[in-house]
Amino acid sequence: MPVQLNPDPSFKDALAASDRPLAGMWVCSGSPLVAEICAGAGLDWLLIDAEHSPNGLESVLAQLQAVHGYPVKAVVRPPVNETVVIKQYLDLGVQSLLIPMVHTADDAAAAVSAARYPPLGVRGVGSALARSARWNRIPDYLARASETITVIVQIESAQAVDNVAEILAVDGVDAVFIGPSDLAASMGVLGQQEHPDVTAAVEHCIKAAKAAGKPVGVNAFAEATARRYLAAGVDFILVGADVAMLARGSEALAARYLPPLGEPVQTPASY
Protein backbone atom coordinates (compact mmCIF):
# COMPACT_ATOMS: atom_id res chain seq x y z
CA MET A 1 0.00 0.00 0.00
CA PRO A 2 1.52 3.38 -0.93
CA VAL A 3 2.50 5.85 1.74
CA GLN A 4 -0.06 8.62 2.24
CA LEU A 5 1.58 12.01 2.70
CA ASN A 6 0.65 15.50 3.77
CA PRO A 7 2.12 18.62 2.18
CA ASP A 8 4.74 20.45 4.18
CA PRO A 9 3.85 23.87 5.59
CA SER A 10 4.95 26.63 3.23
CA PHE A 11 6.61 29.96 3.89
CA LYS A 12 3.38 31.79 4.67
CA ASP A 13 2.76 29.31 7.48
CA ALA A 14 6.20 29.99 8.94
CA LEU A 15 5.58 33.74 8.76
CA ALA A 16 2.23 33.39 10.50
CA ALA A 17 3.68 31.20 13.25
CA SER A 18 6.72 33.36 14.01
CA ASP A 19 6.87 36.08 16.65
CA ARG A 20 10.00 37.61 15.08
CA PRO A 21 11.36 38.40 11.62
CA LEU A 22 12.66 35.40 9.68
CA ALA A 23 16.32 35.61 8.61
CA GLY A 24 17.62 33.84 5.55
CA MET A 25 20.26 33.73 2.85
CA TRP A 26 20.58 33.29 -0.90
CA VAL A 27 21.68 29.94 -2.34
CA CYS A 28 23.09 30.80 -5.75
CA SER A 29 25.82 28.22 -6.41
CA GLY A 30 23.56 25.65 -8.04
CA SER A 31 25.06 22.99 -5.77
CA PRO A 32 22.88 20.64 -3.69
CA LEU A 33 25.86 20.09 -1.38
CA VAL A 34 26.22 23.82 -0.70
CA ALA A 35 22.44 24.13 -0.27
CA GLU A 36 22.50 21.35 2.32
CA ILE A 37 25.39 22.97 4.20
CA CYS A 38 23.44 26.23 4.32
CA ALA A 39 20.25 24.42 5.36
CA GLY A 40 21.97 23.22 8.52
CA ALA A 41 23.26 26.66 9.54
CA GLY A 42 20.27 27.47 11.75
CA LEU A 43 18.70 30.16 9.54
CA ASP A 44 14.96 30.32 9.04
CA TRP A 45 14.87 30.21 5.25
CA LEU A 46 16.85 29.85 2.05
CA LEU A 47 16.22 31.49 -1.30
CA ILE A 48 17.24 29.16 -4.11
CA ASP A 49 17.71 31.54 -7.03
CA ALA A 50 17.21 30.73 -10.70
CA GLU A 51 17.08 34.30 -12.02
CA HIS A 52 20.74 35.27 -11.62
CA SER A 53 22.27 31.86 -10.86
CA PRO A 54 23.22 28.72 -12.82
CA ASN A 55 20.07 26.84 -11.87
CA GLY A 56 17.71 24.85 -14.06
CA LEU A 57 14.85 22.51 -13.20
CA GLU A 58 17.10 19.57 -12.39
CA SER A 59 19.41 21.49 -10.05
CA VAL A 60 16.48 23.18 -8.26
CA LEU A 61 14.93 19.75 -7.73
CA ALA A 62 18.19 18.38 -6.32
CA GLN A 63 18.50 21.30 -3.93
CA LEU A 64 14.91 20.91 -2.73
CA GLN A 65 15.65 17.28 -1.98
CA ALA A 66 18.94 18.16 -0.25
CA VAL A 67 17.40 20.66 2.16
CA HIS A 68 14.12 18.85 2.81
CA GLY A 69 15.27 17.11 5.97
CA TYR A 70 16.31 20.34 7.69
CA PRO A 71 14.17 22.77 9.72
CA VAL A 72 14.45 25.53 7.13
CA LYS A 73 11.96 26.86 4.58
CA ALA A 74 13.01 26.80 0.93
CA VAL A 75 11.78 29.64 -1.26
CA VAL A 76 12.60 29.48 -4.98
CA ARG A 77 12.88 32.40 -7.39
CA PRO A 78 12.16 31.43 -11.00
CA PRO A 79 13.84 33.39 -13.78
CA VAL A 80 10.67 35.06 -15.02
CA ASN A 81 7.00 35.67 -14.20
CA GLU A 82 5.67 33.28 -16.84
CA THR A 83 2.83 30.77 -16.59
CA VAL A 84 4.63 27.72 -18.00
CA VAL A 85 7.79 28.33 -15.96
CA ILE A 86 5.80 28.72 -12.74
CA LYS A 87 3.89 25.52 -13.51
CA GLN A 88 7.16 23.62 -13.93
CA TYR A 89 8.56 24.92 -10.64
CA LEU A 90 5.38 24.06 -8.76
CA ASP A 91 5.33 20.57 -10.23
CA LEU A 92 8.89 20.09 -8.97
CA GLY A 93 7.52 20.53 -5.46
CA VAL A 94 8.33 24.20 -4.95
CA GLN A 95 5.81 25.43 -2.40
CA SER A 96 7.08 28.98 -1.91
CA LEU A 97 7.77 31.19 -4.92
CA LEU A 98 9.43 34.59 -5.15
CA ILE A 99 8.31 36.06 -8.47
CA PRO A 100 10.73 38.66 -9.90
CA MET A 101 10.04 41.93 -11.69
CA VAL A 102 6.43 42.47 -10.65
CA HIS A 103 5.72 46.07 -11.62
CA THR A 104 1.92 46.27 -11.64
CA ALA A 105 -1.18 44.72 -10.11
CA ASP A 106 -1.72 42.88 -13.41
CA ASP A 107 1.75 41.34 -13.12
CA ALA A 108 0.93 40.20 -9.59
CA ALA A 109 -2.44 38.79 -10.64
CA ALA A 110 -0.75 36.82 -13.43
CA ALA A 111 1.67 35.25 -10.93
CA VAL A 112 -1.18 34.26 -8.63
CA SER A 113 -3.20 32.83 -11.51
CA ALA A 114 -0.22 30.75 -12.64
CA ALA A 115 0.02 29.22 -9.16
CA ARG A 116 -3.64 28.19 -8.91
CA TYR A 117 -5.65 25.47 -10.62
CA PRO A 118 -8.85 26.36 -12.50
CA PRO A 119 -11.32 27.87 -11.92
CA LEU A 120 -9.21 30.19 -9.73
CA GLY A 121 -6.21 30.21 -12.06
CA VAL A 122 -4.55 28.65 -15.07
CA ARG A 123 -2.06 26.15 -13.61
CA GLY A 124 -1.91 23.04 -15.75
CA VAL A 125 -2.94 19.78 -14.08
CA GLY A 126 -0.28 17.07 -13.93
CA SER A 127 -0.38 15.90 -10.33
CA ALA A 128 -0.08 12.21 -11.20
CA LEU A 129 3.25 12.99 -12.90
CA ALA A 130 4.66 15.50 -10.43
CA ARG A 131 6.62 15.60 -7.20
CA SER A 132 4.34 18.39 -5.96
CA ALA A 133 1.57 15.83 -5.27
CA ARG A 134 4.15 13.12 -4.58
CA TRP A 135 2.71 11.37 -7.62
CA ASN A 136 -0.83 11.46 -6.17
CA ARG A 137 0.25 10.20 -2.76
CA ILE A 138 -0.98 13.43 -1.13
CA PRO A 139 -4.74 12.96 -0.70
CA ASP A 140 -6.92 15.64 -2.33
CA TYR A 141 -3.86 17.54 -3.54
CA LEU A 142 -5.72 19.29 -6.36
CA ALA A 143 -8.28 20.71 -3.95
CA ARG A 144 -5.69 21.62 -1.30
CA ALA A 145 -2.82 22.87 -3.43
CA SER A 146 -3.51 26.60 -3.06
CA GLU A 147 -3.40 26.26 0.73
CA THR A 148 0.14 24.88 0.50
CA ILE A 149 1.63 27.45 -1.89
CA THR A 150 3.08 30.84 -0.99
CA VAL A 151 3.26 33.52 -3.68
CA ILE A 152 5.68 36.36 -2.88
CA VAL A 153 6.08 39.10 -5.47
CA GLN A 154 9.19 41.20 -5.83
CA ILE A 155 9.04 44.99 -5.74
CA GLU A 156 12.19 46.11 -7.53
CA SER A 157 11.40 49.09 -9.74
CA ALA A 158 10.25 52.66 -9.32
CA GLN A 159 7.07 51.68 -11.16
CA ALA A 160 6.40 48.92 -8.64
CA VAL A 161 6.95 51.34 -5.75
CA ASP A 162 4.35 53.65 -7.31
CA ASN A 163 1.95 50.70 -7.65
CA VAL A 164 2.73 48.97 -4.36
CA ALA A 165 -0.69 49.53 -2.77
CA GLU A 166 -2.45 48.04 -5.81
CA ILE A 167 -0.02 45.10 -5.90
CA LEU A 168 -0.61 44.41 -2.21
CA ALA A 169 -4.37 44.44 -2.79
CA VAL A 170 -4.23 41.54 -5.28
CA ASP A 171 -5.96 38.48 -3.80
CA GLY A 172 -3.50 35.62 -3.53
CA VAL A 173 -0.38 37.74 -3.07
CA ASP A 174 0.84 36.37 0.23
CA ALA A 175 3.78 38.75 0.74
CA VAL A 176 6.00 41.26 -1.02
CA PHE A 177 9.78 41.32 -1.13
CA ILE A 178 11.76 44.46 -1.93
CA GLY A 179 14.91 44.24 -4.08
CA PRO A 180 17.02 47.38 -3.53
CA SER A 181 19.58 46.58 -6.25
CA ASP A 182 17.22 46.69 -9.24
CA LEU A 183 15.23 49.38 -7.50
CA ALA A 184 18.33 51.58 -7.33
CA ALA A 185 19.02 50.94 -11.03
CA SER A 186 15.49 51.90 -12.01
CA MET A 187 15.79 55.11 -9.97
CA GLY A 188 18.95 56.17 -11.82
CA VAL A 189 21.41 55.37 -9.02
CA LEU A 190 22.80 52.04 -10.22
CA GLY A 191 24.82 50.24 -7.54
CA GLN A 192 23.75 52.63 -4.78
CA GLN A 193 21.39 50.54 -2.67
CA GLU A 194 22.10 52.84 0.31
CA HIS A 195 21.12 56.01 -1.59
CA PRO A 196 18.62 58.05 0.47
CA ASP A 197 16.02 57.91 -2.30
CA VAL A 198 16.30 54.13 -2.44
CA THR A 199 16.04 53.60 1.31
CA ALA A 200 13.08 56.00 1.39
CA ALA A 201 11.36 53.96 -1.33
CA VAL A 202 12.03 50.73 0.58
CA GLU A 203 10.59 52.21 3.78
CA HIS A 204 7.56 53.49 1.84
CA CYS A 205 6.87 49.91 0.69
CA ILE A 206 7.31 48.55 4.21
CA LYS A 207 4.72 51.02 5.49
CA ALA A 208 2.35 50.15 2.65
CA ALA A 209 2.61 46.43 3.42
CA LYS A 210 1.98 47.07 7.10
CA ALA A 211 -1.11 49.12 6.21
CA ALA A 212 -2.34 46.28 3.98
CA GLY A 213 -1.69 43.65 6.65
CA LYS A 214 0.64 41.60 4.46
CA PRO A 215 4.17 40.40 5.26
CA VAL A 216 7.06 42.29 3.72
CA GLY A 217 10.68 41.29 3.22
CA VAL A 218 13.86 42.89 1.92
CA ASN A 219 17.38 42.07 0.79
CA ALA A 220 20.13 43.75 2.86
CA PHE A 221 23.67 42.39 3.06
CA ALA A 222 25.10 45.36 4.98
CA GLU A 223 24.36 44.76 8.64
CA ALA A 224 23.57 48.40 9.44
CA THR A 225 21.04 48.48 6.60
CA ALA A 226 19.54 45.16 7.65
CA ARG A 227 19.13 46.44 11.20
CA ARG A 228 17.48 49.60 9.87
CA TYR A 229 14.91 47.65 7.87
CA LEU A 230 14.29 45.24 10.74
CA ALA A 231 13.58 48.23 12.97
CA ALA A 232 11.22 49.54 10.28
CA GLY A 233 9.18 46.37 10.62
CA VAL A 234 10.13 43.86 7.91
CA ASP A 235 8.86 40.35 8.52
CA PHE A 236 11.61 38.49 6.66
CA ILE A 237 15.04 39.39 5.36
CA LEU A 238 17.97 38.03 3.35
CA VAL A 239 21.32 38.88 4.89
CA GLY A 240 23.90 36.98 2.82
CA ALA A 241 24.60 34.65 -0.08
CA ASP A 242 26.58 31.44 -0.39
CA VAL A 243 28.67 32.65 -3.34
CA ALA A 244 29.37 36.05 -1.76
CA MET A 245 30.47 34.45 1.49
CA LEU A 246 32.79 32.09 -0.38
CA ALA A 247 34.22 34.94 -2.47
CA ARG A 248 34.92 37.21 0.51
CA GLY A 249 36.15 34.36 2.70
CA SER A 250 38.58 33.05 0.10
CA GLU A 251 39.83 36.61 -0.55
CA ALA A 252 40.46 37.08 3.16
CA LEU A 253 42.40 33.81 3.25
CA ALA A 254 44.56 34.92 0.34
CA ALA A 255 45.17 38.32 1.95
CA ARG A 256 46.25 36.63 5.15
CA TYR A 257 48.85 34.35 3.57
CA LEU A 258 49.97 36.01 0.32
CA PRO A 259 51.75 39.32 -0.29
CA PRO A 260 49.71 42.09 -1.93
CA LEU A 261 49.70 42.08 -5.72
CA GLY A 262 52.76 43.84 -7.14
CA GLU A 263 54.96 43.32 -4.09
CA PRO A 264 57.97 41.01 -4.38
CA VAL A 265 57.73 37.61 -2.77
CA GLN A 266 60.10 37.33 0.20
CA THR A 267 62.14 34.14 -0.10
CA PRO A 268 63.89 32.69 2.92
CA ALA A 269 67.66 33.18 3.08
CA SER A 270 69.67 30.13 2.10
CA TYR A 271 72.20 28.64 4.45
Side-chain angles (χ1 to χ4, degrees), residues 244-264:
M245 294 172 70
L246 179 59
R248 302 295 84 77
S250 58
E251 289 161 7
L253 193 66
R256 190 174 302 127
Y257 289 101
L258 297 177
L261 288 174
E263 290 192 8

Side-chain angles (χ1 to χ4, degrees), residues 177-188:
F177 183 83
I178 308 159
S181 294
D182 278 303
L183 178 56
S186 79
M187 295 175 71

Side-chain angles (χ1 to χ4, degrees), residues 196-223:
D197 291 346
V198 177
T199 56
V202 171
E203 290 174 350
H204 167 75
C205 293
I206 294 170
K207 290 177 183 177
K210 292 300 176 184
K214 289 192 176 179
V216 55
V218 70
N219 187 54
F221 285 9
E223 183 173 356

Side-chain angles (χ1 to χ4, degrees), residues 17 168 238 242 251 266-267:
L168 284 159
L238 290 172
D242 56 349
E251 289 161 7
Q266 299 297 319
T267 55

Side-chain angles (χ1 to χ4, degrees), residues 157-172:
S157 69
Q159 182 185 12
V161 172
D162 290 341
N163 293 326
V164 68
E166 291 81 5
I167 291 169
L168 284 159
V170 172
D171 180 52

Side-chain angles (χ1 to χ4, degrees), residues 47-198:
L47 179 61
I48 300 170
D49 182 43
E51 185 186 16
H52 292 296
S53 303
N55 272 312
L57 295 175
E58 291 82 359
S59 63
V60 169
L61 172 60
Q63 288 169 84
L64 291 174
Q65 293 170 326
V67 308
H68 185 259
Y70 292 84
V72 65
K73 293 298 175 193
V75 179
V76 179
R77 182 168 70 171
V80 65
N81 181 10
E82 201 277 327
T83 300
V84 172
V85 173
I86 291 172
K87 172 182 65 179
Q88 291 179 305
Y89 277 70
L90 291 173
D91 282 353
L92 286 184
V94 174
Q95 289 182 265
S96 304
L97 288 163
L98 175 61
I99 306 299
M101 293 295 177
V102 171
H103 307 298
T104 67
D106 286 345
D107 292 341
V112 172
S113 181
R116 290 179 168 179
Y117 289 121
L120 300 176
V122 296
R123 179 182 175 188
V125 180
S127 57
L129 312 176
R131 182 175 180 266
S132 56
R134 298 305 189 269
W135 307 277
N136 279 346
R137 290 172 181 162
I138 294 178
D140 301 319
Y141 175 79
L142 295 177
R144 302 164 61 194
S146 293
E147 303 169 13
T148 73
I149 293 168
T150 300
V151 176
I152 308 164
V153 299
Q154 192 154 353
I155 306 295
E156 49 185 341
S157 69
Q159 182 185 12
V161 172
D162 290 341
N163 293 326
V164 68
E166 291 81 5
I167 291 169
L168 284 159
V170 172
D171 180 52
V173 168
D174 296 303
V176 297
F177 183 83
I178 308 159
S181 294
D182 278 303
L183 178 56
S186 79
M187 295 175 71
V189 286
L190 178 65
Q192 300 180 56
Q193 293 91 327
E194 314 290 334
H195 191 283
D197 291 346
V198 177

